[in-house]
Amino acid sequence: MNMRKITLLLFAIICYGAGFAQFKGEATYKTAASMNVDFDGDMPGVDAEAIRKQIAQQMQREYTLTFNTHESSYKRVEELDQNTSVSGGGVQIRMTGGEGITYRNTKTKVHKESEDLFGKEFLIVDEPETRDWKILNDFKQIGQYECQKAVFESTTRQMTVDSDNGNEVVEKIDTIQVVAWFAPSIPVSHGPDSYWGLPGLILEVKNGNFSILCTKVVMNSDEIGEIEIPKKGKKISRTDFDELREEKLSEMMNQYQGEGNRTMIRIGG
């Protein structure tokens, strides 16, 4: 290879690298979930099937992930009906989380997330939560992208009220396998919600009965919005925020225990 060809090759690599560094994209995701709801004993006026349908409806949301090489912001698409709490027949279903903006920088390891906790704004600032991903040799097509499978083990916590033991609040811990499908042809380590860290954009996640599916990807379009970095709210770490949220939700559950035949079903973190 002569010097002229080497020079042209180096120039092409430099140009490609510069173009790649400036690219941007936007992915649209939809969430869904199913949940078994069992009511022990007699609860007059409670329709278990109607409650299941309401939970499924509450979990059907749409989000947008805006990203470049290292940065991303994930937020819910605004809808006319953003009610996160429905009730009836002595049962209240309350959604927690998912309303704010999540910003992540995979290069500087910065994570910022806006959250509203019972009317008070918080700004969670911490390092991005890492996952112990195991990449498998399984592939499938999602839209126009060939995706590869990856998994990790996740511990889930669920607070329930045990009516057989004086309405005691009980914590149940399970370990499940989370499955993700990522597109190597979109070489960024971003993904929806708290999922990231794979060698390609994550297009689908299955976490127990909860799923996130990418329905649209747009690359290098002038219509793509800016990456948003949340700034408002009281600054707090993820650990401290989770502890505060557990404390507030336990208080609410205890309040419902003392109000006769009333039950609160909590969905989310």
Side-chain angles (χ1 to χ4, degrees), residues 122-181:
F122 288 89
L123 178 63
I124 302 169
V125 181
D126 221 324
E127 291 187 1
E129 184 179 2
T130 57
R131 313 287 189 184
D132 188 16
W133 291 107
K134 180 181 179 182
I135 299 176
L136 305 178
N137 197 32
D138 294 336
F139 299 86
K140 76 172 184 178
Q141 198 77 12
I142 298 178
Q144 69 185 72
Y145 300 99
E146 183 182 59
C147 295
Q148 189 168 359
K149 186 178 182 180
V151 299
F152 75 90
E153 299 294 321
S154 174
T155 300
T156 64
R157 300 169 63 244
Q158 183 176 359
M159 304 294 289
T160 59
V161 177
D162 187 352
S163 58
D164 294 331
N165 291 295
N167 288 338
E168 178 185 359
V169 178
V170 178
E171 180 183 56
K172 183 180 179 181
I173 299 178
D174 288 324
T175 300
I176 62 173
Q177 186 181 77
V178 179
V179 177
W181 295 89

CSV table of all heavy atoms in Angstrom, one decimal, residues 122-181:
chain,number,residue,atom,x,y,z
A,122,PHE,N,-37.6,15.8,43.9
A,122,PHE,CA,-36.3,15.4,44.3
A,122,PHE,C,-35.4,15.2,43.1
A,122,PHE,O,-35.9,14.9,42.0
A,122,PHE,CB,-36.3,14.1,45.1
A,122,PHE,CG,-36.9,14.2,46.5
A,122,PHE,CD1,-38.2,14.0,46.7
A,122,PHE,CD2,-36.0,14.4,47.5
A,122,PHE,CE1,-38.7,14.1,48.0
A,122,PHE,CE2,-36.5,14.5,48.8
A,122,PHE,CZ,-37.9,14.4,49.0
A,123,LEU,N,-34.1,15.5,43.2
A,123,LEU,CA,-33.2,15.3,42.1
A,123,LEU,C,-32.2,14.2,42.6
A,123,LEU,O,-31.3,14.5,43.5
A,123,LEU,CB,-32.4,16.6,41.8
A,123,LEU,CG,-31.4,16.5,40.7
A,123,LEU,CD1,-32.0,16.1,39.4
A,123,LEU,CD2,-30.6,17.8,40.5
A,124,ILE,N,-32.3,13.0,42.1
A,124,ILE,CA,-31.4,11.9,42.4
A,124,ILE,C,-30.1,12.0,41.6
A,124,ILE,O,-30.2,12.0,40.4
A,124,ILE,CB,-32.1,10.6,42.2
A,124,ILE,CG1,-33.4,10.5,43.0
A,124,ILE,CG2,-31.2,9.4,42.5
A,124,ILE,CD1,-34.3,9.3,42.6
A,125,VAL,N,-29.0,12.1,42.3
A,125,VAL,CA,-27.7,12.2,41.6
A,125,VAL,C,-26.8,11.1,42.2
A,125,VAL,O,-26.6,11.0,43.4
A,125,VAL,CB,-27.1,13.6,41.9
A,125,VAL,CG1,-25.7,13.7,41.2
A,125,VAL,CG2,-28.0,14.7,41.5
A,126,ASP,N,-26.4,10.3,41.3
A,126,ASP,CA,-25.6,9.1,41.7
A,126,ASP,C,-24.9,8.5,40.5
A,126,ASP,O,-25.1,9.0,39.3
A,126,ASP,CB,-26.5,8.0,42.3
A,126,ASP,CG,-25.9,7.4,43.5
A,126,ASP,OD1,-24.7,7.2,43.5
A,126,ASP,OD2,-26.6,7.1,44.5
A,127,GLU,N,-24.1,7.5,40.7
A,127,GLU,CA,-23.6,6.8,39.5
A,127,GLU,C,-24.6,5.8,38.9
A,127,GLU,O,-25.5,5.4,39.7
A,127,GLU,CB,-22.3,5.9,40.0
A,127,GLU,CG,-21.1,6.8,40.4
A,127,GLU,CD,-19.9,5.9,40.6
A,127,GLU,OE1,-20.0,4.7,40.5
A,127,GLU,OE2,-18.9,6.4,41.0
A,128,PRO,N,-24.6,5.6,37.6
A,128,PRO,CA,-25.6,4.7,37.0
A,128,PRO,C,-25.4,3.3,37.6
A,128,PRO,O,-24.3,2.8,37.9
A,128,PRO,CB,-25.2,4.7,35.5
A,128,PRO,CG,-24.3,5.9,35.3
A,128,PRO,CD,-23.6,6.1,36.6
A,129,GLU,N,-26.6,2.7,37.9
A,129,GLU,CA,-26.6,1.3,38.4
A,129,GLU,C,-26.1,0.3,37.4
A,129,GLU,O,-26.6,0.3,36.3
A,129,GLU,CB,-28.0,0.9,38.9
A,129,GLU,CG,-28.1,-0.4,39.5
A,129,GLU,CD,-29.5,-0.7,40.0
A,129,GLU,OE1,-30.4,0.1,39.7
A,129,GLU,OE2,-29.7,-1.8,40.6
A,130,THR,N,-25.1,-0.4,37.7
A,130,THR,CA,-24.5,-1.4,36.8
A,130,THR,C,-25.2,-2.7,36.9
A,130,THR,O,-25.7,-3.1,38.0
A,130,THR,CB,-23.0,-1.6,37.0
A,130,THR,OG1,-22.8,-2.0,38.4
A,130,THR,CG2,-22.2,-0.3,36.8
A,131,ARG,N,-25.2,-3.5,35.8
A,131,ARG,CA,-25.8,-4.8,35.8
A,131,ARG,C,-24.7,-5.8,35.4
A,131,ARG,O,-23.8,-5.6,34.6
A,131,ARG,CB,-26.9,-4.9,34.7
A,131,ARG,CG,-27.9,-3.7,34.7
A,131,ARG,CD,-28.8,-3.8,35.9
A,131,ARG,NE,-29.9,-2.8,35.7
A,131,ARG,CZ,-30.8,-2.6,36.6
A,131,ARG,NH1,-30.8,-3.3,37.7
A,131,ARG,NH2,-31.7,-1.6,36.5
A,132,ASP,N,-24.8,-7.0,36.0
A,132,ASP,CA,-23.9,-8.1,35.7
A,132,ASP,C,-24.5,-8.9,34.5
A,132,ASP,O,-25.0,-10.0,34.6
A,132,ASP,CB,-23.7,-9.0,36.9
A,132,ASP,CG,-22.6,-10.0,36.7
A,132,ASP,OD1,-21.8,-9.9,35.7
A,132,ASP,OD2,-22.6,-11.0,37.4
A,133,TRP,N,-24.4,-8.3,33.3
A,133,TRP,CA,-25.0,-8.9,32.1
A,133,TRP,C,-24.3,-10.1,31.6
A,133,TRP,O,-23.0,-10.2,31.7
A,133,TRP,CB,-25.0,-7.9,30.9
A,133,TRP,CG,-25.9,-6.7,31.1
A,133,TRP,CD1,-25.5,-5.4,31.3
A,133,TRP,CD2,-27.3,-6.7,30.9
A,133,TRP,NE1,-26.7,-4.6,31.4
A,133,TRP,CE2,-27.8,-5.3,31.1
A,133,TRP,CE3,-28.3,-7.7,30.7
A,133,TRP,CZ2,-29.1,-5.0,31.0
A,133,TRP,CZ3,-29.6,-7.3,30.6
A,133,TRP,CH2,-30.0,-6.0,30.8
A,134,LYS,N,-25.0,-11.1,31.2
A,134,LYS,CA,-24.4,-12.2,30.5
A,134,LYS,C,-25.0,-12.3,29.1
A,134,LYS,O,-26.2,-12.4,28.9
A,134,LYS,CB,-24.8,-13.5,31.2
A,134,LYS,CG,-24.2,-14.8,30.6
A,134,LYS,CD,-24.6,-16.0,31.4
A,134,LYS,CE,-24.1,-17.3,30.7
A,134,LYS,NZ,-24.5,-18.5,31.4
A,135,ILE,N,-24.1,-12.1,28.1
A,135,ILE,CA,-24.5,-12.1,26.7
A,135,ILE,C,-24.6,-13.5,26.1
A,135,ILE,O,-23.6,-14.2,26.3
A,135,ILE,CB,-23.6,-11.2,25.9
A,135,ILE,CG1,-23.6,-9.7,26.4
A,135,ILE,CG2,-24.0,-11.2,24.4
A,135,ILE,CD1,-22.7,-8.8,25.7
A,136,LEU,N,-25.7,-13.8,25.5
A,136,LEU,CA,-26.0,-15.2,25.0
A,136,LEU,C,-25.9,-15.2,23.5
A,136,LEU,O,-26.0,-14.2,22.9
A,136,LEU,CB,-27.3,-15.7,25.5
A,136,LEU,CG,-27.6,-15.7,27.0
A,136,LEU,CD1,-29.0,-16.2,27.3
A,136,LEU,CD2,-26.5,-16.5,27.8
A,137,ASN,N,-25.7,-16.4,23.0
A,137,ASN,CA,-25.6,-16.5,21.5
A,137,ASN,C,-27.0,-16.8,20.9
A,137,ASN,O,-27.2,-17.7,20.1
A,137,ASN,CB,-24.7,-17.7,21.2
A,137,ASN,CG,-24.2,-17.6,19.7
A,137,ASN,OD1,-24.1,-16.6,19.1
A,137,ASN,ND2,-24.0,-18.8,19.1
A,138,ASP,N,-28.0,-16.0,21.3
A,138,ASP,CA,-29.4,-16.1,20.8
A,138,ASP,C,-29.7,-14.8,20.1
A,138,ASP,O,-29.4,-13.7,20.6
A,138,ASP,CB,-30.4,-16.3,22.0
A,138,ASP,CG,-30.2,-17.7,22.6
A,138,ASP,OD1,-29.6,-18.6,22.0
A,138,ASP,OD2,-30.6,-17.8,23.8
A,139,PHE,N,-30.4,-14.9,19.0
A,139,PHE,CA,-30.8,-13.7,18.2
A,139,PHE,C,-32.2,-13.7,17.8
A,139,PHE,O,-32.8,-14.8,17.7
A,139,PHE,CB,-29.9,-13.7,16.9
A,139,PHE,CG,-28.4,-13.6,17.2
A,139,PHE,CD1,-27.7,-14.8,17.4
A,139,PHE,CD2,-27.8,-12.4,17.3
A,139,PHE,CE1,-26.3,-14.7,17.7
A,139,PHE,CE2,-26.4,-12.3,17.5
A,139,PHE,CZ,-25.7,-13.5,17.8
A,140,LYS,N,-32.8,-12.5,17.6
A,140,LYS,CA,-34.1,-12.4,17.0
A,140,LYS,C,-34.3,-11.0,16.4
A,140,LYS,O,-33.5,-10.1,16.7
A,140,LYS,CB,-35.2,-12.6,18.1
A,140,LYS,CG,-35.5,-11.5,19.0
A,140,LYS,CD,-36.7,-11.8,19.9
A,140,LYS,CE,-37.0,-10.6,20.8
A,140,LYS,NZ,-38.3,-10.8,21.6
A,141,GLN,N,-35.3,-10.9,15.5
A,141,GLN,CA,-35.5,-9.6,14.8
A,141,GLN,C,-36.5,-8.8,15.6
A,141,GLN,O,-37.6,-9.2,16.0
A,141,GLN,CB,-36.0,-9.9,13.4
A,141,GLN,CG,-35.9,-8.8,12.4
A,141,GLN,CD,-34.5,-8.6,11.9
A,141,GLN,OE1,-33.6,-9.4,12.1
A,141,GLN,NE2,-34.2,-7.4,11.3
A,142,ILE,N,-36.2,-7.5,15.8
A,142,ILE,CA,-37.1,-6.5,16.3
A,142,ILE,C,-37.2,-5.4,15.3
A,142,ILE,O,-36.2,-4.6,15.2
A,142,ILE,CB,-36.7,-6.0,17.7
A,142,ILE,CG1,-36.7,-7.2,18.7
A,142,ILE,CG2,-37.7,-4.9,18.2
A,142,ILE,CD1,-36.2,-6.7,20.1
A,143,GLY,N,-38.3,-5.3,14.6
A,143,GLY,CA,-38.4,-4.3,13.6
A,143,GLY,C,-37.3,-4.6,12.5
A,143,GLY,O,-37.2,-5.7,12.0
A,144,GLN,N,-36.5,-3.6,12.2
A,144,GLN,CA,-35.5,-3.8,11.1
A,144,GLN,C,-34.1,-4.2,11.7
A,144,GLN,O,-33.2,-4.4,11.0
A,144,GLN,CB,-35.3,-2.5,10.3
A,144,GLN,CG,-34.7,-1.4,11.1
A,144,GLN,CD,-34.7,-0.1,10.3
A,144,GLN,OE1,-35.7,0.5,10.0
A,144,GLN,NE2,-33.5,0.3,9.8
A,145,TYR,N,-34.1,-4.4,13.0
A,145,TYR,CA,-32.8,-4.7,13.7
A,145,TYR,C,-32.7,-6.1,14.2
A,145,TYR,O,-33.6,-6.6,14.8
A,145,TYR,CB,-32.6,-3.7,14.9
A,145,TYR,CG,-32.7,-2.3,14.5
A,145,TYR,CD1,-33.8,-1.5,14.6
A,145,TYR,CD2,-31.5,-1.7,13.9
A,145,TYR,CE1,-33.8,-0.2,14.2
A,145,TYR,CE2,-31.5,-0.3,13.5
A,145,TYR,CZ,-32.7,0.4,13.7
A,145,TYR,OH,-32.7,1.7,13.3
A,146,GLU,N,-31.5,-6.7,13.9
A,146,GLU,CA,-31.2,-8.0,14.5
A,146,GLU,C,-30.7,-7.8,15.9
A,146,GLU,O,-29.7,-7.0,16.1
A,146,GLU,CB,-30.2,-8.8,13.6
A,146,GLU,CG,-29.9,-10.2,14.2
A,146,GLU,CD,-28.9,-10.9,13.4
A,146,GLU,OE1,-27.7,-10.4,13.4
A,146,GLU,OE2,-29.2,-12.0,12.9
A,147,CYS,N,-31.3,-8.5,16.8
A,147,CYS,CA,-31.0,-8.2,18.2
A,147,CYS,C,-30.4,-9.5,18.9
A,147,CYS,O,-30.7,-10.6,18.5
A,147,CYS,CB,-32.2,-7.8,19.0
A,147,CYS,SG,-32.8,-6.1,18.5
A,148,GLN,N,-29.5,-9.3,19.9
A,148,GLN,CA,-28.9,-10.4,20.6
A,148,GLN,C,-29.4,-10.3,22.0
A,148,GLN,O,-29.7,-9.3,22.6
A,148,GLN,CB,-27.4,-10.2,20.6
A,148,GLN,CG,-26.6,-11.4,21.1
A,148,GLN,CD,-25.1,-11.4,20.8
A,148,GLN,OE1,-24.7,-10.5,20.1
A,148,GLN,NE2,-24.4,-12.4,21.3
A,149,LYS,N,-29.5,-11.5,22.6
A,149,LYS,CA,-30.0,-11.7,24.0
A,149,LYS,C,-29.0,-11.5,25.1
A,149,LYS,O,-27.8,-11.9,24.9
A,149,LYS,CB,-30.7,-13.1,24.1
A,149,LYS,CG,-31.4,-13.3,25.4
A,149,LYS,CD,-32.1,-14.7,25.3
A,149,LYS,CE,-32.9,-15.0,26.5
A,149,LYS,NZ,-33.5,-16.4,26.5
A,150,ALA,N,-29.4,-10.9,26.2
A,150,ALA,CA,-28.6,-10.8,27.3
A,150,ALA,C,-29.4,-10.9,28.6
A,150,ALA,O,-30.6,-10.5,28.6
A,150,ALA,CB,-27.8,-9.4,27.4
A,151,VAL,N,-28.9,-11.4,29.7
A,151,VAL,CA,-29.7,-11.7,30.9
A,151,VAL,C,-28.8,-11.3,32.1
A,151,VAL,O,-27.6,-11.2,32.1
A,151,VAL,CB,-30.1,-13.1,31.0
A,151,VAL,CG1,-30.9,-13.6,29.9
A,151,VAL,CG2,-28.9,-14.1,31.1
A,152,PHE,N,-29.6,-11.0,33.2
A,152,PHE,CA,-28.9,-10.8,34.5
A,152,PHE,C,-30.0,-11.2,35.6
A,152,PHE,O,-31.2,-11.2,35.3
A,152,PHE,CB,-28.4,-9.4,34.7
A,152,PHE,CG,-29.4,-8.4,35.0
A,152,PHE,CD1,-29.8,-8.1,36.3
A,152,PHE,CD2,-30.0,-7.6,34.0
A,152,PHE,CE1,-30.8,-7.1,36.6
A,152,PHE,CE2,-30.9,-6.7,34.2
A,152,PHE,CZ,-31.3,-6.4,35.5
A,153,GLU,N,-29.5,-11.5,36.8
A,153,GLU,CA,-30.3,-11.9,37.9
A,153,GLU,C,-30.7,-10.6,38.7
A,153,GLU,O,-29.9,-9.8,39.0
A,153,GLU,CB,-29.6,-12.9,38.8
A,153,GLU,CG,-29.3,-14.2,38.2
A,153,GLU,CD,-30.5,-15.0,37.8
A,153,GLU,OE1,-31.5,-15.0,38.5
A,153,GLU,OE2,-30.4,-15.6,36.7
A,154,SER,N,-32.0,-10.5,39.0
A,154,SER,CA,-32.5,-9.3,39.7
A,154,SER,C,-33.3,-9.7,41.0
A,154,SER,O,-34.0,-10.7,40.9
A,154,SER,CB,-33.4,-8.5,38.8
A,154,SER,OG,-34.0,-7.4,39.5
A,155,THR,N,-33.1,-8.9,42.0
A,155,THR,CA,-33.8,-9.2,43.3
A,155,THR,C,-35.0,-8.2,43.3
A,155,THR,O,-34.8,-7.0,43.2
A,155,THR,CB,-32.9,-9.0,44.5
A,155,THR,OG1,-31.8,-9.9,44.4
A,155,THR,CG2,-33.7,-9.2,45.8
A,156,THR,N,-36.2,-8.7,43.5
A,156,THR,CA,-37.4,-7.8,43.6
A,156,THR,C,-37.9,-7.8,45.0
A,156,THR,O,-37.8,-8.8,45.7
A,156,THR,CB,-38.5,-8.3,42.6
A,156,THR,OG1,-38.9,-9.6,43.0
A,156,THR,CG2,-37.9,-8.3,41.2
A,157,ARG,N,-38.5,-6.7,45.4
A,157,ARG,CA,-39.1,-6.5,46.7
A,157,ARG,C,-40.5,-6.1,46.6
A,157,ARG,O,-40.8,-5.2,45.8
A,157,ARG,CB,-38.3,-5.5,47.6
A,157,ARG,CG,-36.8,-5.8,47.8
A,157,ARG,CD,-36.1,-4.7,48.4
A,157,ARG,NE,-36.6,-4.3,49.7
A,157,ARG,CZ,-37.1,-3.1,50.0
A,157,ARG,NH1,-37.3,-2.2,49.0
A,157,ARG,NH2,-37.5,-2.9,51.2
A,158,GLN,N,-41.4,-6.7,47.3
A,158,GLN,CA,-42.8,-6.4,47.3
A,158,GLN,C,-43.4,-6.3,48.7
A,158,GLN,O,-43.2,-7.2,49.5
A,158,GLN,CB,-43.6,-7.4,46.4
A,158,GLN,CG,-45.0,-7.1,46.3
A,158,GLN,CD,-45.8,-8.1,45.4
A,158,GLN,OE1,-45.1,-9.1,44.9
A,158,GLN,NE2,-47.0,-7.9,45.2
A,159,MET,N,-44.1,-5.2,49.0
A,159,MET,CA,-44.7,-5.0,50.3
A,159,MET,C,-46.2,-5.4,50.1
A,159,MET,O,-46.9,-4.9,49.3
A,159,MET,CB,-44.6,-3.6,50.7
A,159,MET,CG,-43.2,-3.1,50.8
A,159,MET,SD,-42.2,-3.9,52.0
A,159,MET,CE,-42.9,-3.2,53.5
A,160,THR,N,-46.7,-6.3,51.0
A,160,THR,CA,-48.1,-6.7,51.0
A,160,THR,C,-48.6,-6.7,52.4
A,160,THR,O,-47.8,-6.7,53.4
A,160,THR,CB,-48.2,-8.2,50.5
A,160,THR,OG1,-47.4,-9.1,51.3
A,160,THR,CG2,-47.7,-8.3,49.0
A,161,VAL,N,-49.9,-6.7,52.6
A,161,VAL,CA,-50.6,-6.7,53.9
A,161,VAL,C,-51.1,-8.1,54.1
A,161,VAL,O,-51.9,-8.6,53.3
A,161,VAL,CB,-51.7,-5.7,53.9
A,161,VAL,CG1,-52.4,-5.8,55.2
A,161,VAL,CG2,-51.2,-4.3,53.7
A,162,ASP,N,-50.7,-8.8,55.2
A,162,ASP,CA,-51.1,-10.1,55.6
A,162,ASP,C,-52.3,-10.0,56.5
A,162,ASP,O,-52.2,-9.7,57.7
A,162,ASP,CB,-50.0,-10.8,56.2
A,162,ASP,CG,-50.3,-12.3,56.5
A,162,ASP,OD1,-51.4,-12.7,56.3
A,162,ASP,OD2,-49.4,-13.0,56.9
A,163,SER,N,-53.5,-10.3,55.9
A,163,SER,CA,-54.7,-10.1,56.7
A,163,SER,C,-54.9,-11.2,57.7
A,163,SER,O,-55.7,-11.1,58.7
A,163,SER,CB,-55.9,-10.1,55.7
A,163,SER,OG,-56.0,-11.3,55.0
A,164,ASP,N,-54.2,-12.4,57.5
A,164,ASP,CA,-54.2,-13.5,58.5
A,164,ASP,C,-53.4,-13.2,59.8
A,164,ASP,O,-53.6,-13.9,60.8
A,164,ASP,CB,-53.7,-14.8,57.9
A,164,ASP,CG,-54.7,-15.2,56.7
A,164,ASP,OD1,-55.9,-14.9,56.8
A,164,ASP,OD2,-54.1,-15.9,55.8
A,165,ASN,N,-52.6,-12.2,59.7
A,165,ASN,CA,-51.7,-11.9,60.9
A,165,ASN,C,-51.9,-10.4,61.3
A,165,ASN,O,-51.0,-9.6,61.4
A,165,ASN,CB,-50.3,-12.1,60.6
A,165,ASN,CG,-49.9,-13.6,60.4
A,165,ASN,OD1,-50.0,-14.3,61.4
A,165,ASN,ND2,-49.6,-14.0,59.2
A,166,GLY,N,-53.2,-10.1,61.5
A,166,GLY,CA,-53.5,-8.7,62.0
A,166,GLY,C,-53.1,-7.6,61.1
A,166,GLY,O,-52.7,-6.5,61.5
A,167,ASN,N,-53.3,-7.9,59.7
A,167,ASN,CA,-52.9,-6.8,58.7
A,167,ASN,C,-51.5,-6.4,58.8
A,167,ASN,O,-51.2,-5.2,58.6
A,167,ASN,CB,-53.9,-5.7,58.8
A,167,ASN,CG,-55.3,-6.0,58.3
A,167,ASN,OD1,-55.4,-7.0,57.5
A,167,ASN,ND2,-56.3,-5.2,58.7
A,168,GLU,N,-50.6,-7.3,59.1
A,168,GLU,CA,-49.2,-7.0,59.2
A,168,GLU,C,-48.6,-6.7,57.8
A,168,GLU,O,-48.9,-7.4,56.9
A,168,GLU,CB,-48.4,-8.1,59.9
A,168,GLU,CG,-46.9,-7.9,60.0
A,168,GLU,CD,-46.2,-9.1,60.6
A,168,GLU,OE1,-46.9,-10.1,60.9
A,168,GLU,OE2,-45.0,-9.1,60.7
A,169,VAL,N,-47.8,-5.7,57.7
A,169,VAL,CA,-47.1,-5.4,56.5
A,169,VAL,C,-45.9,-6.3,56.3
A,169,VAL,O,-45.0,-6.4,57.1
A,169,VAL,CB,-46.6,-3.9,56.4
A,169,VAL,CG1,-45.9,-3.7,55.1
A,169,VAL,CG2,-47.8,-3.0,56.5
A,170,VAL,N,-45.9,-7.1,55.2
A,170,VAL,CA,-44.9,-8.1,55.0
A,170,VAL,C,-44.1,-7.8,53.8
A,170,VAL,O,-44.7,-7.4,52.7
A,170,VAL,CB,-45.5,-9.5,54.9
A,170,VAL,CG1,-44.5,-10.6,54.6
A,170,VAL,CG2,-46.3,-9.9,56.2
A,171,GLU,N,-42.8,-8.0,53.8
A,171,GLU,CA,-41.9,-7.8,52.7
A,171,GLU,C,-41.6,-9.2,52.1
A,171,GLU,O,-41.1,-10.1,52.8
A,171,GLU,CB,-40.6,-7.1,53.1
A,171,GLU,CG,-39.7,-6.8,51.9
A,171,GLU,CD,-38.4,-6.2,52.3
A,171,GLU,OE1,-37.7,-6.7,53.2
A,171,GLU,OE2,-38.1,-5.1,51.7
A,172,LYS,N,-41.8,-9.3,50.8
A,172,LYS,CA,-41.5,-10.5,50.1
A,172,LYS,C,-40.3,-10.3,49.1
A,172,LYS,O,-40.4,-9.3,48.3
A,172,LYS,CB,-42.7,-11.1,49.3
A,172,LYS,CG,-42.5,-12.4,48.6
A,172,LYS,CD,-43.7,-12.8,47.9
A,172,LYS,CE,-43.5,-14.2,47.2
A,172,LYS,NZ,-44.7,-14.6,46.4
A,173,ILE,N,-39.3,-11.1,49.1
A,173,ILE,CA,-38.1,-10.9,48.2
A,173,ILE,C,-38.0,-12.1,47.3
A,173,ILE,O,-38.0,-13.3,47.7
A,173,ILE,CB,-36.8,-10.8,49.0
A,173,ILE,CG1,-36.9,-9.5,49.9
A,173,ILE,CG2,-35.6,-10.6,48.1
A,173,ILE,CD1,-35.7,-9.3,50.8
A,174,ASP,N,-37.9,-11.8,46.0
A,174,ASP,CA,-37.8,-12.9,45.0
A,174,ASP,C,-36.6,-12.5,44.1
A,174,ASP,O,-36.2,-11.4,43.9
A,174,ASP,CB,-39.0,-13.0,44.1
A,174,ASP,CG,-40.2,-13.6,44.8
A,174,ASP,OD1,-39.9,-14.5,45.7
A,174,ASP,OD2,-41.3,-13.2,44.6
A,175,THR,N,-36.0,-13.6,43.5
A,175,THR,CA,-34.9,-13.4,42.5
A,175,THR,C,-35.4,-13.9,41.1
A,175,THR,O,-35.9,-15.0,41.0
A,175,THR,CB,-33.7,-14.2,42.9
A,175,THR,OG1,-33.2,-13.7,44.1
A,175,THR,CG2,-32.6,-14.0,41.8
A,176,ILE,N,-35.4,-13.0,40.1
A,176,ILE,CA,-35.8,-13.4,38.8
A,176,ILE,C,-34.8,-13.1,37.8
A,176,ILE,O,-33.8,-12.4,38.0
A,176,ILE,CB,-37.1,-12.7,38.4
A,176,ILE,CG1,-36.9,-11.2,38.4
A,176,ILE,CG2,-38.3,-13.0,39.4
A,176,ILE,CD1,-38.1,-10.4,37.9
A,177,GLN,N,-34.9,-13.7,36.6
A,177,GLN,CA,-34.0,-13.4,35.5
A,177,GLN,C,-34.6,-12.3,34.6
A,177,GLN,O,-35.7,-12.5,34.1
A,177,GLN,CB,-33.7,-14.7,34.7
A,177,GLN,CG,-32.6,-14.5,33.6
A,177,GLN,CD,-32.4,-15.7,32.8
A,177,GLN,OE1,-33.2,-16.1,31.9
A,177,GLN,NE2,-31.3,-16.4,33.1
A,178,VAL,N,-33.9,-11.3,34.4
A,178,VAL,CA,-34.3,-10.2,33.5
A,178,VAL,C,-33.6,-10.5,32.1
A,178,VAL,O,-32.4,-10.8,32.0
A,178,VAL,CB,-33.8,-8.8,34.0
A,178,VAL,CG1,-34.2,-7.7,33.0
A,178,VAL,CG2,-34.4,-8.6,35.4
A,179,VAL,N,-34.5,-10.4,31.1
A,179,VAL,CA,-34.0,-10.6,29.7
A,179,VAL,C,-34.0,-9.4,28.9
A,179,VAL,O,-35.0,-8.6,28.9
A,179,VAL,CB,-34.9,-11.7,29.0
A,179,VAL,CG1,-34.5,-11.9,27.6
A,179,VAL,CG2,-34.9,-13.0,29.8
A,180,ALA,N,-33.0,-9.1,28.2
A,180,ALA,CA,-32.9,-7.9,27.3
A,180,ALA,C,-32.4,-8.3,25.9
A,180,ALA,O,-31.7,-9.3,25.8
A,180,ALA,CB,-32.0,-6.9,27.9
A,181,TRP,N,-32.9,-7.6,24.9
A,181,TRP,CA,-32.5,-7.8,23.5
A,181,TRP,C,-31.9,-6.4,23.0
A,181,TRP,O,-32.6,-5.4,23.1
A,181,TRP,CB,-33.6,-8.2,22.7
A,181,TRP,CG,-34.2,-9.6,23.0
A,181,TRP,CD1,-35.2,-9.8,23.9
A,181,TRP,CD2,-33.8,-10.8,22.5
A,181,TRP,NE1,-35.4,-11.2,24.0
A,181,TRP,CE2,-34.6,-11.8,23.1
A,181,TRP,CE3,-32.8,-11.2,21.6
A,181,TRP,CZ2,-34.4,-13.2,22.9
A,181,TRP,CZ3,-32.7,-12.6,21.3
A,181,TRP,CH2,-33.5,-13.5,21.9
